[in-house]
Amino acid sequence: MSHETTGTDTARLRFLEGFESVRKRPGMYVGSTGERGLRHLVFGVVERAVDEALAGQGEHIDVTLMEDGGIRVADSGPGIAVEAAGHTDGPGLEDMLTRLHTAARGLRGRRTMALSPLRTEPSVVNALSSRLTVEVRREDGRWVQEYRRGVAVSPPTATGVTTGGGTTGGGTTGGGTTGSGTTGSGTTITFWPDADLFETTRPSFGDLAIRFREVAALNRGLSLSLTDESDRDEPRSASFRFPDEERDLVAVLGMETGPRVHPDVIAFEEEDARMAGTVEVSLRWCDSPGSTVRSFANSIRTYEGGTHEAGLRDGVTAAVDAYAREHLLLAASDPRPAFEDVGEGLTAVVSVKLDAPEFYGATRTRLGGDGDAVHPDVRDTGAVHACVRDAVQAHLGTWLERHPEQAAAVIARIVESPHQA
């Protein structure tokens, strides 16, 4: 008897071989088999929901660390398209959970973000979970499906229609399929990290809360909640949502390091076509040594800085120097202060949202830009640097002119700075 391999068999074979590779080398896909890798699993599921929220499709995302070790991510979006139901309005459920996309998932614009530099795919989460269940709620019905170590136990199953317009949340933690107990549209994915692959299957509540706070603070209207049910006697939860009027990112991110030199936060956001994106800055001087600057690009924390952070530093320096000389707070013979001088006691956040961000390296910890020098010892240049510098110089300069007493307090710190001695 001849044995012919059909196209379906070939596709399934490639799928199984791909998942076997992920399970053999999980560190290549999520960074580690420790707690850091677990965070990337959570981020891989949450990112999809955040992308929908930033596109205006839902705004609530609830993450629950369940008592039995599962991690549930529920959103109020439109519900993932289900191929078996004939939906064609986006990537399908089974494709998302089983296909290892060969191309790296880049950031596709300012409304697409990554909670981690790796931007882990949901299919990788599926491959590295001993079990994963999914519930999709759409206008025309509700579907559930279960996977074991990346392999579907059964096709998506229709289980009835959704009711009402409720939000996400609640749910069961035991057996069965999904049973999130939610109404209205949305998607609930619950997964159990494979204990055979990970050193621990309990992500840190505190570490997740820190990152969720950052993401919510940097994206207006986004609502993220985190609940820890792992300790039945002491459950804990935190919710993060920051409305338009609450834009003191320095305070929200807990960056103040001492008593305030001036009461106001200097904050602004504006769009600049030159860099095809927006820049948001929040800064304040405190009575503390040195400076603290935190930078983000498309909500990714850029620990190594880059063009946006260099623009902030140059803009602050230029604005303070110009004001001090115009008001004779610095003599004409005094040298131009360096950022180390004007930044004494400064705490600042700079966040850019770009349609086409350019990063140095796959880790995305340093932002580049058009015309950048590749060598790390050469100053970054380009549109992002110029846009951020100009915006900071203009807004800070205006604030200094409107608040002469507070400006004098800032300049006094510069004159007294050990770098000026």
Side-chain angles (χ1 to χ4, degrees), residues 389-414:
R389 179 199 62 212
D390 295 349
V392 171
Q393 182 174 356
H395 285 274
L396 178 55
T398 298
W399 181 86
L400 292 169
E401 290 290 348
R402 291 177 177 175
H403 302 84
E405 292 185 3
Q406 297 182 46
V410 171
I411 303 300
R413 288 186 59 80
I414 297 170

Side-chain angles (χ1 to χ4, degrees), residues 172-197:
T172 61
T173 59
T177 53
T178 53
S180 66
T182 58
T183 60
S185 66
T187 301
T188 300
I189 295 177
T190 308
F191 65 95
W192 289 258
D194 197 333
D196 292 339
L197 302 177

Side-chain angles (χ1 to χ4, degrees), residues 50 53 58-63 74-76 168 212 215-216 219-226 239-242:
V50 171
E59 60 180 23
H60 302 289
I61 302 163
D62 301 326
V63 180
D75 67 64
S76 61
T168 56
F212 289 170
V215 172
N219 295 278
R220 284 184 174 89
L222 180 64
S223 175
L224 278 164
S225 70
L226 177 63
S239 297
F240 308 105
R241 186 179 187 278
F242 301 96

